[in-house]
Amino acid sequence: MQKIEYQKGNSLWKDARQRLFRNRAAMAALIFLLLMVLACFVLPLFPCIDNPNTTNLNNIAAPCSWQHPFGTDQLGRDLLARVLYGGRISLLVGIVATVVALIIGLVYGLISGYIGGRTDALMMRTVDVLFALPFIVLVIVFSLSIEEPVQELTENIIAATGWSRETIAPILGLVPLFIAIGALGWLTLARIVRTQTLEIKALEYVQAARSLGLGHLRILFRHIAPNILGTVVVYTTLAVPGIMLTESTLSFIGLGVKAPNSSWGTLIKEGADRMEVTPELLVFPALFFCLTLLTLNFLGDGLRDAIDPKSAKD
């Protein structure tokens, strides 16, 4: 009697992972992005990297050398250290603000699409009104309005824990920026999630879940949300560059990271002011910033092609 062999099928996520691994541009972008993150967060821990805020007035605007591979700025600070530490802040703002926007937009879009009717119409008109307002102006106003409470929180934490101001102030000083960009950057994601929810809630398995008496929250987060996760992941990788660009814009006009700390946006601003005298002050941070945005976009495109089942080649 002939034995019948059954071929084991692949899950959607396994197929997506295989398609992603076959995308050379996306994998190269992923490897480069991991190297950039390691360089910004791990390399400054080694003693060979100077303190980014240590000034040396005897070594102002020094050219590239073994001691200072990227040279020094107008205050004698090591530019390589400032670029790496600035990358920490830019990447943190991009990731944390994107997570805030992701949570708000996902929940808002799920509720709007699932409930439907007048509630959906009201929630979407609210999104339309917010879309009509200038985003940068809203971020500036919101950031300035919560800056004073964050400063009071910083003082309370320092008094309660005894930590030094130099340790905690740079981190908590970014909280208004995280909240402002994230709390106003969820509008596009809410629309995308709402559209996906409207399509999925009409499918048979959702109707079957309702007929079994499952609660609305369980249907939303157990049956609908996992099926739009692919779209959310792709949007997240494409949203991080936009949020990093927003932070750079705010830092460029002096409303982002406060001195003496730096981000890629503040370094680009400082370099633009002195580009005719010391062009390396602009070239190196702009190069790191542009390459990071480019790799994030390549990775987002690769994830979109991998997760979309229509892109599979039989």
Side-chain angles (χ1 to χ4, degrees):
M1 185 176 181
Q2 187 177 4
K3 184 179 180 180
I4 301 177
E5 295 183 358
Y6 295 96
Q7 184 178 3
K8 187 178 180 180
N10 293 334
S11 65
L12 175 63
W13 291 106
K14 185 176 181 180
D15 289 338
R17 187 168 60 250
Q18 291 175 352
R19 288 194 293 270
L20 179 63
F21 288 160
R22 289 196 296 265
N23 191 325
R24 295 182 179 178
M27 292 307 300
L30 178 61
I31 294 173
F32 181 87
L33 185 61
L34 292 175
L35 292 176
M36 182 67 72
V37 172
L38 288 175
C40 292
F41 286 90
V42 177
L43 195 58
L45 300 177
F46 291 91
C48 59
I49 303 297
D50 297 336
N51 189 308
N53 297 328
T54 301
T55 60
N56 184 2
L57 299 181
N58 296 322
N59 198 25
I60 294 176
C64 300
S65 62
W66 285 108
Q67 185 178 1
H68 304 288
F70 290 178
T72 61
D73 64 2
Q74 70 279 5
L75 294 177
R77 297 172 295 190
D78 184 68
L79 185 57
L80 173 60
R82 289 183 64 77
V83 169
L84 294 178
Y85 276 88
R88 282 184 175 185
I89 293 178
S90 293
L91 291 170
L92 277 175
V93 170
I95 294 172
V96 175
T98 300
V99 170
V100 174
L102 176 66
I103 294 173
I104 298 174
L106 181 62
V107 174
Y108 194 95
L110 281 171
I111 294 174
S112 177
Y114 184 76
I115 296 178
R118 293 182 178 180
T119 302
D120 176 37
L122 177 61
M123 295 177 72
M124 285 299 104
R125 296 301 75 76
T126 303
V127 170
D128 293 338
V129 171
L130 293 176
F131 256 122
L133 300 176
F135 178 73
I136 294 295
V137 175
L138 286 178
V139 170
I140 293 173
V141 172
F142 190 74
S143 178
L144 293 177
S145 64
I146 65 175
E147 186 173 1
E148 185 175 349
V150 171
Q151 290 179 353
E152 294 179 359
L153 177 62
T154 303
E155 297 296 335
N156 293 333
I157 293 178
I158 293 175
T161 61
W163 293 343
S164 64
R165 185 179 300 276
E166 292 76 12
T167 302
I168 193 172
I171 299 175
L172 291 180
L174 295 175
V175 171
L177 203 60
F178 292 154
I179 298 176
I181 298 176
L184 297 171
W186 53 271
L187 303 176
T188 302
L189 179 61
R191 282 184 168 182
I192 295 173
V193 172
R194 178 248 184 188
T195 302
Q196 296 287 319
T197 304
L198 287 174
E199 296 177 359
I200 293 175
K201 76 173 185 177
L203 298 179
E204 289 80 1
Y205 71 89
V206 178
Q207 301 296 331
R210 286 177 178 171
S211 65
L212 292 174
L214 299 182
H216 296 304
L217 289 178
R218 185 172 182 182
I219 294 175
L220 268 177
F221 295 101
R222 181 75 179 272
H223 297 278
I224 297 180
N227 287 282
I228 62 176
L229 185 60
T231 304
V232 171
V233 169
V234 173
Y235 174 81
T236 301
T237 58
L238 297 176
V240 172
I243 290 179
M244 290 177 62
L245 195 59
T246 301
E247 180 275 326
S248 298
T249 302
L250 294 174
S251 297
F252 190 88
I253 62 179
L255 296 172
V257 180
K258 306 300 181 184
N261 301 302
S262 64
S263 69
W264 284 336
T266 58
L267 292 176
I268 291 172
K269 178 184 182 301
E270 294 174 1
D273 294 337
R274 298 169 177 82
M275 60 182 298
E276 296 181 356
V277 180
T278 51
E280 60 271 14
L281 296 182
L282 174 63
V283 170
F284 289 116
L287 181 64
F288 272 64
F289 182 64
C290 293
L291 289 176
T292 302
L293 296 187
L294 187 64
T295 54
L296 283 169
N297 279 285
F298 271 119
L299 181 60
D301 291 340
L303 286 172
R304 180 193 60 199
D305 296 338
I307 293 175
D308 185 7
K310 296 180 181 179
S311 66
K313 302 292 189 298
D314 294 331

